[in-house]
Amino acid sequence: RLGLRHPGKADAIDRIWRERSRLYEEYRGSSDRLDYLGTLPWVGPATKHSLARQLGCLVEHEDRAVA
């Protein structure tokens, strides 16, 4: 939790991990997968594009996550 610097982000990660099977099925069944990723807690515009690429979706990225 300290490494994330925000308790809300840690809680979101814990929630997504607990609900990962259901969330993945919803993602796979979504008609717009990119928009679905944006509904996940603590996933913003840049992160949803990065996540989509990591999940194998070919998407154009308007924003990039900056390290």
Side-chain angles (χ1 to χ4, degrees):
R1 292 193 179 276
L2 292 174
L4 296 174
R5 296 180 288 184
H6 195 289
K9 189 177 284 190
D11 291 341
I13 291 169
D14 288 342
R15 177 180 159 212
I16 289 171
W17 183 252
R18 280 192 313 270
E19 300 175 19
R20 66 190 177 277
S21 295
R22 179 185 60 79
L23 293 170
Y24 184 65
E25 289 305 316
E26 288 177 2
Y27 164 78
R28 290 188 52 192
S30 176
S31 61
D32 189 334
R33 291 180 176 176
L34 187 61
D35 279 348
Y36 178 79
L37 293 174
T39 68
L40 297 174
W42 283 85
V43 174
T47 304
K48 78 177 181 181
H49 284 89
S50 175
L51 184 55
R53 285 191 302 278
Q54 292 175 24
L55 291 170
C57 289
L58 299 175
V59 296
E60 289 185 32
H61 49 279
E62 299 169 10
D63 301 300
R64 289 185 177 253
V66 179

